[in-house]
Amino acid sequence: MNKKERSAALVSEYAALIRCPVCGGDMHVDSLASLTCSTNHAFDFAKQGYVNMLNKPVTTQYDQALFKNRRDFILESGFYEKMHEAVVDIMHRLDTDDMTVLDAGSGEGSHMERILAKVEGKHIGFGIDIAKEGILIAAKNYPDSIWFVGDLANLPLKDGSCDVILNILSPANYSEFNRAIKPGGIVIKVVPQSGYLGELREALYRDTDKAEYDNAGTVSLFEENFEVLERVQVKEKVMLDRTSLANLIHMSPLAWNHEAGELDDFISEERPVTIDLEILVGRSVISV
Ligand SMILES: C[S@@+](CC[C@H](N)C(=O)[O-])C[C@H]1O[C@@H](n2cnc3c(N)ncnc32)[C@H](O)[C@@H]1O
Ligand SMILES: [Zn+2]
C-alpha cells in the first residue's frame, strides 16, 4: 500500500466519526481513494494522505516555510515541553482508555503529535486546519493521525464524536466545539498570557501597545461557553540557541510586516525567552 492508501485505510476505521462538510451526512471511504457521503459529495485523498474537506480553496497568510519553521521550533527547541506535559496530565485525568482527540487549528501537527506520544491508552488524533500548507506537512510526518484541510467553523466530525478538543494558539468556534464534543468530553484551549514571547515583542515593538498580550476577552468568552474545570499556567524562561531563535522569528505572526534584518541583533546570540501560556480546560455544557 502506498501512503495515500494507508491513510485511507486508517480513515475507513474511523469513518463513523466523520460527517460530510456539505450536507452533514454519513461518510465512507471509497476504493481507498476518496471520502464520499451518502449523497455523493466526494473528497479525494491527496498523495501525502490528507483530505481537503473545504468546499472552496482558501488562501491564508501561513505558507509552507512558516509551518516548516514552526515544526523545527516545536520539535527542537524544548520551548513547549512543559505545556505538552501539562496537557497530557489533563488528558489523563479524563480517565478514558479509548480517546478521540481533535486538534482544531492544528497547523503542521507537531503539538498534537508530541502530546499523543505521551498519552497512555488507545487513542486516535484528528488534525484540522484551514491552511493546506500545514496539513500537508502534518500528513507527511505523522501518518498515525488523520489530517483534514477544513474549517473549524464547519468541522467534518459528527455531533458528540470527540473526547478531547485541543485548540492551541488558534482561533476557536465554540458552538462547533460544543457540537462535536462528547458529553463529558473536554476542550483544552491554550492561550498566550502577558509575558508570552515578551523578549521578541520588546525587540519588535518597544514602546507601542503591541508589547503585551491581553487575554481577558478570550478567557471570558471561554467561560461563557464551557464549565471551566481547570486553569493551568505554564510560565518559565527557556534558553534558546541561535537556530531556535531564527526559527522563532520566522514562525511567528508577530514578526510579520517587519523588515528583513531588523531582528539580526535578537538572533545573534543565545538568549532566554519567556513562555507564558494559560491552559483553559472546559467541559461541554451538554449534560452527561
Ligand atoms: C498561530 S497558528 C497555530 C497553529 C498550531 N496550533 C501551532 O501552535 O503551531 C493558527 C492556526 O489557525 C489556523 N486557522 C485559522 N483560522 C482557521 C479556521 N477557520 N479553521 C481552521 N484553522 C484555522 C491557521 O491556518 C493556523 O494554522
Ligand atoms: Zn454530503
Side-chain angles (χ1 to χ4, degrees):
M1 271 205 268
N2 61 30
K3 204 170 170 92
K4 170 172 146 176
E5 289 165 340
R6 257 190 289 124
S7 299
L10 177 67
V11 171
S12 70
E13 272 182 59
Y14 294 95
L17 301 175
I18 301 168
R19 72 166 200 172
C20 174
V22 180
C23 68
D26 291 352
M27 301 204 89
H28 64 276
V29 172
D30 216 359
S31 313
L32 293 186
S34 66
L35 254 175
T36 306
C37 81
S38 28
T39 44
N40 274 334
H41 299 118
F43 303 86
D44 292 342
F45 282 84
K47 71 170 189 298
Q48 297 87 352
Y50 68 87
V51 184
N52 188 337
M53 302 280 257
L54 290 174
N55 304 322
K56 49 181 188 315
V58 170
T59 342
T60 74
Q61 287 183 287
Y62 294 85
D63 60 14
Q64 211 166 336
L66 176 139
F67 284 117
K68 170 83 177 48
N69 284 114
R70 279 194 102 78
R71 172 178 157 80
D72 291 348
F73 185 73
I74 295 168
L75 296 180
E76 289 160 19
S77 67
F79 192 69
Y80 292 111
E81 217 163 279
K82 285 254 159 50
M83 181 268 279
H84 295 155
E85 283 166 10
V87 170
V88 170
D89 286 348
I90 291 162
M91 287 169 71
H92 282 158
R93 288 201 271 285
L94 249 190
D95 206 18
T96 307
D97 54 12
D98 188 357
M99 252 188 238
T100 300
V101 179
L102 162 67
D103 187 355
S106 63
E108 53 63 55
S110 296
H111 286 307
M112 183 168 79
E113 149 70 21
R114 276 290 148 111
I115 290 164
L116 291 186
K118 296 190 181 118
V119 169
E120 287 160 16
K122 188 172 182 292
H123 48 260
I124 181 69
F126 285 83
I128 293 178
D129 200 283
I130 206 160
K132 187 177 93 182
E133 294 73 12
I135 290 296
L136 193 148
I137 296 175
K140 252 193 211 168
N141 292 296
Y142 307 128
D144 294 336
S145 294
I146 294 171
W147 301 102
F148 293 148
V149 180
D151 189 348
L152 52 78
N154 179 29
L155 292 170
L157 288 167
K158 287 205 181 143
D159 299 6
S161 53
C162 303
D163 296 279
V164 176
I165 297 181
L166 301 173
N167 182 230
I168 303 175
L169 303 170
S170 289
N173 184 300
Y174 294 142
S175 58
E176 269 301 82
F177 291 4
N178 261 318
R179 183 188 63 73
I181 199 83
K182 264 185 203 168
I186 55 171
V187 175
I188 302 177
K189 181 168 181 64
V190 178
V191 292
Q193 299 245 81
S194 62
Y196 184 60
L197 302 179
E199 296 78 1
L200 174 59
R201 279 177 295 117
E202 185 65 24
L204 282 170
Y205 300 111
R206 292 187 185 92
D207 309 322
T208 75
D209 60 1
K210 281 232 170 95
E212 272 208 0
Y213 279 107
D214 176 5
N215 66 3
T218 311
V219 174
S220 61
L221 194 62
F222 189 86
E223 286 172 336
E224 282 166 30
N225 283 278
F226 303 101
E227 176 197 345
V228 177
L229 301 178
E230 283 185 75
R231 295 175 61 165
V232 180
Q233 319 292 325
V234 175
K235 184 168 188 181
E236 63 173 349
K237 279 186 194 290
V238 181
M239 188 59 95
L240 297 180
D241 63 19
R242 292 175 57 189
T243 308
S244 288
L245 289 169
N247 285 328
L248 173 64
I249 65 167
H250 290 116
M251 70 166 227
S252 174
L254 281 176
W256 290 350
N257 308 322
H258 284 266
E259 304 289 318
E262 205 181 325
L263 288 168
D264 284 358
D265 276 355
F266 184 76
I267 61 173
S268 63
E269 55 186 20
E270 64 166 10
R271 64 169 68 236
V273 174
T274 303
I275 181 166
D276 186 8
L277 298 172
E278 181 164 39
I279 306 172
L280 304 170
V281 187
R283 185 155 50 199
S284 154
V285 286
I286 302 157
S287 57
V288 188

